[in-house]
Amino acid sequence: MNPRAKAALAGLRRGRIELRQSVTSAQDLWGALFFPAVALLVMYLLRGRTVPGTAFSLGSQAVPGILALNVVLNGMMALAMTLTMDREDGTLLRAKATPNGVIGYLVGKITGRAGMVLVGLLVPLVPSLLLFDGLRPDRLDTWLILAWVLALGLAAIMPFGAILGSLASSAQGLGVVTVPMMALMAISGAFYPVTAFPGWVQAIAQAFPLYWIGLGLRSALLPAGLSAAEIGASWRHLETAAVLGLWAVAGFAAAPAVLRRMARRESGSAVAARRAKAMQRLM
C-alpha cells in the first residue's frame, strides 16, 4: 500500500480513538455542549416571541442557527485550538519526525473533531425536538438535507480551522479571531432572521459559511412556510451547495501549502522557545 495511504488509515484509527476518549470525557463533552445548552435555554425563554410577519416561535426558528454555530465552534475553532496547543507542547514535532506522520496526525485530528461536531449537533437536537414546537424531525428529507449540509459545511470550515491553527503563534493568539467570530454570529441569522438587517449586513453575512450552514439547517428542520423570512423568500439549496463548495475548494487548495510551511518551521528549538514564553506568561 502507498505510504501516504497507510498514514491516512493510521490517522483514521487515531481519530476513532480520540473520538472515543472525547465522548467519555466529561470535560470535552461540557466544552462541546455548554454553548448550545445556554443558547437553547435563552431561546426557550423567548419562545413566546414570534418571527416578524408570522405566528411561528422565534425560539424555534433560532434552534437550527444555534446548532450551526456549534458546528463552526466545534469544527473550525476547536480544530485550530488543538493544532496550536499541539505545536506548543511538541506533539506536532513528534508527528513530523515520523514518515508521513503529519498526514496521519491531521487525518486523525480532522476525523476526531468531525465526530465531535456530530455529537455536538445531535445531543442538543434531541431535547430541542421536545422543548420547541414546529420542528420537523419525522420527515426523510429532513435527515437527507442535514446530511449533505453537514458534509459540505464541515468540508468548508475545517480546512480553515487547520489554517488558523497553523498561523496562530499561540493558543492565546487565537483570541484575535474571537471578535470577528462574535460579529458573524450576530449577523448570521442564528438568533434573528437576517432579513431584519440592512442590505450591506446581509451581504457580509452571505460571504461566510456560517450563514449558509444555518440556512441549510433551517431548511431541514423548519416548516417550508418559514422560507418567507429568508432572503429571497427561499431556502436556496443550490446557492448553499455552491457557496459551501467554493469555500471547501479554497480551503483544501490553501491548507496543504500552509500546513507544509508550518511543519517545515517546527523544530526542537522552536518548541523550547514557545515553552519558555508560556512559562513567562504563567509567572
Side-chain angles (χ1 to χ4, degrees):
M1 184 183 293
N2 183 284
R4 290 176 178 267
K6 285 185 177 181
L9 287 175
L12 290 174
R13 289 193 293 270
R14 173 178 179 150
R16 186 175 66 250
I17 293 170
E18 291 191 358
L19 176 60
R20 185 169 64 246
Q21 292 173 340
S22 294
V23 298
T24 55
S25 166
Q27 182 177 353
D28 288 351
L29 287 175
W30 175 254
L33 300 176
F34 174 76
F35 167 77
V38 173
L40 289 172
L41 175 61
V42 173
M43 290 301 105
Y44 181 73
L45 296 176
L46 296 176
R47 65 191 184 281
R49 299 183 61 182
T50 59
V51 178
T54 74
F56 195 79
S57 167
L58 182 62
S60 299
Q61 191 270 347
V63 169
I66 293 170
L67 297 178
L69 287 176
N70 208 40
V71 168
V72 174
L73 292 175
N74 277 334
M76 184 178 74
M77 296 306 298
L79 178 59
M81 182 64 71
T82 299
L83 283 173
T84 304
M85 294 175 64
D86 284 352
R87 286 173 62 202
E88 288 188 329
D89 67 11
T91 299
L92 193 56
L93 181 61
R94 292 191 292 272
K96 177 187 174 184
T98 305
N100 295 308
V102 174
I103 294 175
Y105 167 83
L106 288 173
V107 170
K109 288 298 179 185
I110 290 174
T111 302
R113 184 46 50 188
M116 280 304 293
V117 167
L118 293 178
V119 172
L121 176 78
L122 294 176
V123 171
L125 177 59
V126 173
S128 297
L129 299 175
L130 300 175
L131 293 174
F132 295 91
D133 296 327
L135 303 180
R136 47 170 217 169
D138 55 343
R139 297 180 55 171
L140 177 61
D141 65 332
T142 292
W143 300 102
L144 292 176
I145 295 171
L146 280 175
W148 71 258
V149 169
L150 283 175
L152 269 180
L154 288 175
I157 62 174
M158 296 196 79
F160 289 96
I163 291 172
L164 286 174
S166 301
L167 295 178
S169 59
S170 65
Q172 289 76 14
L174 280 175
V176 298
V177 184
T178 303
V179 174
M181 277 297 300
M182 291 178 64
L184 282 177
M185 290 178 187
I187 67 174
S188 67
F191 301 104
Y192 203 78
V194 72
T195 48
F197 300 120
W200 64 272
V201 175
Q202 296 179 29
I204 293 174
Q206 292 177 85
F208 294 93
L210 176 55
Y211 166 78
W212 296 99
I213 296 173
L215 178 64
L217 295 184
R218 287 194 293 275
S219 74
L221 293 169
L222 299 181
L226 263 293
S227 62
E230 301 291 342
I231 297 173
S234 169
W235 294 126
R236 299 193 292 169
H237 284 154
L238 289 178
E239 291 92 333
T240 299
V243 174
L244 292 179
L246 286 174
W247 272 90
V249 170
F252 280 106
V258 176
L259 292 170
R260 283 195 298 267
R261 176 178 175 274
M262 177 267 292
R264 285 196 301 267
R265 297 176 64 181
E266 284 301 298
S267 65
S269 59
V271 172
R274 285 195 292 267
R275 285 179 177 173
K277 188 175 180 180
M279 291 299 294
Q280 290 176 353
R281 288 197 298 267
L282 292 175
M283 295 174 63

